[in-house]
Amino acid sequence: MKIGVIGLGYLGVTHAVAMAKLGHEVIGIESDREKLKLLSSGKVPFFEPGLQEALIDVTKTGNLSFQEKHDRNSASCQLHFLCVGTPQEIGSYAADTSHVFAAAEELARVVSEYTIVVGKSTVPVGTAEVLRGRMSELAGFNVIVAWNPEFLREGTALEDSLNPDRIVVGSWDSAAVEKLREAYKPILDNGTPLLALDVPTAELVKVAANSFLATKISFINAMAEVAEVAGADIVDLAEAIGMDERIGKKFLRSGVGFGGGCLPKDIRGFLSRAEELGVGAAVDFLRNVDEVNLRRRDRVVELAQQELGDLQGKKILVLGISFKPDSDDLRDSPSLDVALRLSALGAKVRVHDPMALGSLGDRYPELERAKEIETGAKDAELIFLGTEWSEYKSIDPASFGDLVANKLIIDGRNVLDVAAWQAAGWRLIALGRNVHN
Ligand SMILES: NC(=O)c1ccc[n+]([C@@H]2O[C@H](COP(=O)([O-])OP(=O)(O)OC[C@H]3O[C@@H](n4cnc5c(N)ncnc54)[C@H](O)[C@@H]3O)[C@@H](O)[C@H]2O)c1
C-alpha cells in the first residue's frame, strides 16, 4: 500500500519505518527542515535502540522517502497517518491540538478524492469528530477519519510497533477498518488482535491506559512516602504486593517518578477534557497522581539539603538525565528537573548521560556536561542516580569511591546493590527504603 506518515518525531519515524518494514511504500512528511535533512540523509534525529539500523535498511529497499510538504503523489496515499505532537498547552493543563488540526488542514487542501486519515496522536476525546468536519469542509467531500492510538514505549519503540499487544481502531466507517487490517496484515497474522471500536472509545483508550499506568507508579511512590516515615522498605513491599496476580509487578517500581512526553501531559490533558465534559470529579484523583509524582523530585532535593546542608558551591553529579533509560528524550525528565533545581540552589551540578547530552544542545549552560562517568565523579560530594541506564547499575562502588570527595549516593531508581555499595564504604540513600547506613 502507499502510505503517508505526517509528523516524524518519536512516534512518526518509528511508525514510518515499521510500515516500510511491512513492505508498504511510505512517504514521510516532516515540516521541520533540520529533521527532514537528517532523515533524508539516513539519520534518525533522536536515539531509539535499533531504529537507526532499521531506517537504513528500509531506505535501501526504496520503501521509504521523506518530504517537507504534500504533493500529488503523497496526496494519493491510501492511508494518511497523523503522528504530530500534542504537547501540554502553555499556561493550562489542556492538550494543544493545534498541530493536529494544522497538519490535517494542510492535507485536506491537497486531496481531491476518497481519502482516509488515521490519527495516531494522543488527543482529547471528541477531537476526531471535529477534525472530520473541518477536513471534509476544506476538501469539499466527506473525508474518512479513523483513530488508531499508539502504545509504543520509547526504548523499545520499533519492537512495540511491530509486535503490539493489540491494535485499537476507532472508526465510523468499516472501509477504514478494512484498509487498516490490510496495512497491518503481517502483524495481525502473527496473532495480534485488532479491536474495532467506536471513535470516542478509541480516543479514550489511550488516555485511560496512560492514566492507569501513571496511577500505578504514583501508588507505589505514595507507599514509598509512607515507608520512609514508618521505617518500612518499599522494594520489599512492592515485591510482596506484586506477587498477587491481581496487582502484578510491572510499573510497581518506586523511585523519582515518571516523566517524558506522554504520561504527565496526558493525565493533565485528561483532567482538562473531563472538566470540559462536566465529569472532572470522576478523574480528579489524577491531580493527586501528578502531585505524588512531583513530590518525589522535591524529596530528592530535600535529601540533598539534609545531607549536605547549604548547597551553595557543592559538587553534585547527576547520573542520567533522559526521562528513562534507552532514550535521549528530555521532555519532563524527573532527573533533569532535579539537576536544575539543585543548580538553582547554588550547587555545581555535573550531568552525565550515555545518550541524552546531545539533546540538551546549548540549553541549561549552568549544568556542566560530563562526557565520562569518571570525570563527572571527580571530587563530587554527592551522586544522584536519576535514570537507571544499565551502565550505572554495573559501576564498581570500590573504584568509584576513590574518585569522589564524599562517598554519598542517592539511588533515585532503587537499582543499586545496597550491600555492595555499603560494603565499599558508601552512604547510600534509596528512596522509600529502610536501608540507610
Ligand atoms: N513518544 C512516544 O513515546 C509516544 C507514544 C505514543 C503516542 N505518542 C503520541 O504521539 C504524538 C507524537 O508524539 P512524538 O513524541 O512523536 O512528538 P514529537 O514532537 O517528537 O514529533 C512530532 C513531529 O511532528 C512534526 N510536525 C508538526 N506539525 C507538522 C505538520 N503540520 N506537518 C508535518 N510535520 C509536522 C514536528 O516537527 C515533529 O517532528 C503525540 O500525540 C504523543 O502523545 C507518543
Side-chain angles (χ1 to χ4, degrees):
M1 290 170 77
K2 191 159 82 176
I3 283 176
V5 177
I6 304 167
L8 300 172
Y10 287 87
L11 164 64
V13 176
T14 309
H15 189 62
V17 169
M19 296 310 278
K21 265 179 94 73
L22 296 184
H24 302 301
E25 181 194 338
V26 180
I27 303 173
I29 312 274
E30 170 56 51
S31 57
D32 179 323
R33 288 192 179 160
E34 281 301 308
K35 277 191 193 175
L36 185 67
K37 215 164 108 187
L38 283 169
L39 286 164
S40 304
S41 62
K43 295 194 185 86
V44 176
F46 51 87
F47 171 68
E48 175 61 43
L51 194 57
Q52 178 59 62
E53 298 77 358
L55 173 74
I56 292 172
D57 282 353
V58 289
T59 311
K60 278 186 202 145
T61 64
N63 276 353
L64 180 57
S65 62
F66 302 106
Q67 57 195 57
E68 187 186 348
K69 292 194 168 89
H70 295 284
D71 54 18
R72 284 172 70 127
N73 185 33
S74 69
S76 68
C77 285
Q78 287 151 283
L79 290 170
H80 298 270
F81 286 98
L82 280 179
C83 298
V84 299
T86 47
Q88 185 178 339
E89 251 177 34
I90 295 166
S92 114
Y93 267 16
D96 175 0
T97 54
S98 61
H99 303 286
V100 174
F101 280 94
E105 286 166 15
E106 283 157 22
L107 176 64
R109 289 197 182 90
V110 295
V111 292
S112 55
E113 54 189 358
Y114 186 79
T115 297
I116 304 178
V117 178
V118 184
K120 287 196 81 63
S121 304
T122 305
V123 291
V125 58
T127 301
E129 190 167 7
V130 181
L131 193 100
R132 175 171 69 150
R134 212 173 287 174
M135 287 193 81
S136 299
E137 201 181 303
L138 279 171
F141 59 89
N142 283 337
V143 172
I144 294 179
V145 173
W147 223 262
N148 170 216
E150 177 59 55
F151 301 96
L152 67 80
R153 296 159 296 177
E154 287 174 28
T156 50
L158 190 57
E159 171 62 18
D160 290 346
S161 295
L162 291 169
N163 292 302
D165 294 333
R166 75 301 203 193
I167 291 174
V168 170
V169 177
S171 174
W172 292 277
D173 192 301
S174 58
V177 181
E178 287 322 305
K179 271 275 175 265
L180 280 162
R181 276 191 205 283
E182 200 183 321
Y184 289 129
K185 188 170 184 306
I187 298 177
L188 302 179
D189 286 350
N190 279 341
T192 299
L194 183 148
L195 307 179
L197 310 174
D198 58 63
V199 177
T201 307
E203 289 172 317
L204 268 178
V205 166
K206 177 65 192 176
V207 281
N210 276 357
S211 297
F212 187 85
L213 295 172
T215 302
K216 207 168 170 194
I217 299 171
S218 277
F219 173 81
I220 202 65
N221 282 333
M223 294 305 108
E225 282 188 41
V226 177
E228 274 165 23
V229 294
D233 189 292
I234 195 61
V235 173
D236 292 344
L237 184 141
E239 171 83 7
I241 64 171
M243 282 179 176
D244 183 330
E245 63 183 23
R246 293 169 302 175
I247 296 173
K249 287 184 185 169
K250 288 188 178 158
F251 268 65
L252 214 54
R253 294 191 50 165
S254 66
V256 71
F258 59 80
C262 289
L263 293 196
K265 62 105 175 156
D266 286 351
I267 60 170
R268 293 175 198 148
F270 195 17
L271 273 163
S272 166
R273 183 64 182 136
E275 269 163 25
E276 277 173 12
L277 294 171
V279 285
V283 294
D284 203 46
F285 68 93
L286 291 174
R287 223 174 277 284
N288 283 93
V289 167
D290 200 10
E291 282 163 10
V292 167
N293 191 53
L294 296 176
R295 271 209 301 274
R296 290 285 76 189
R297 305 177 189 185
D298 299 342
R299 180 71 184 137
V300 175
V301 175
E302 220 174 81
L303 283 167
Q305 287 172 313
Q306 248 171 46
E307 294 294 318
L308 299 178
D310 183 0
L311 293 182
Q312 193 64 40
K314 298 281 160 55
K315 291 183 181 138
I316 300 178
L317 169 65
V318 173
L319 290 177
I321 53 165
S322 56
F323 85 99
K324 68 189 288 194
D326 297 319
S327 170
D328 63 356
D329 195 343
L330 297 178
R331 288 177 290 184
D332 209 339
S333 161
S335 50
L336 178 59
D337 188 22
V338 168
L340 290 167
R341 287 163 64 178
L342 295 171
S343 165
L345 289 166
K348 287 187 174 164
V349 180
R350 287 182 205 138
V351 291
H352 176 272
D353 193 285
M355 285 295 163
L357 290 184
S359 314
L360 272 183
D362 50 14
R363 288 180 295 163
Y364 313 122
E366 66 271 36
L367 301 178
E368 199 185 309
R369 278 71 161 157
K371 289 215 172 90
E372 309 293 334
I373 304 177
E374 291 73 20
T375 49
K378 198 171 174 309
D379 301 328
E381 289 155 272
L382 166 68
I383 313 274
F384 167 55
L385 192 161
T387 313
E388 67 276 35
W389 285 91
S390 61
E391 59 192 273
Y392 300 150
K393 296 184 209 168
S394 55
I395 291 174
D396 169 26
S399 53
F400 200 51
D402 294 338
L403 304 170
V404 297
N406 192 15
K407 291 185 189 178
L408 172 64
I409 185 159
I410 299 176
D411 180 359
R413 295 292 175 183
N414 284 329
V415 289
L416 297 180
D417 179 341
V418 176
W421 281 75
Q422 287 179 344
W426 284 79
R427 173 160 165 72
L428 183 143
I429 302 176
L431 292 184
R433 299 203 72 182
N434 182 22
V435 293
H436 311 168
N437 46 349

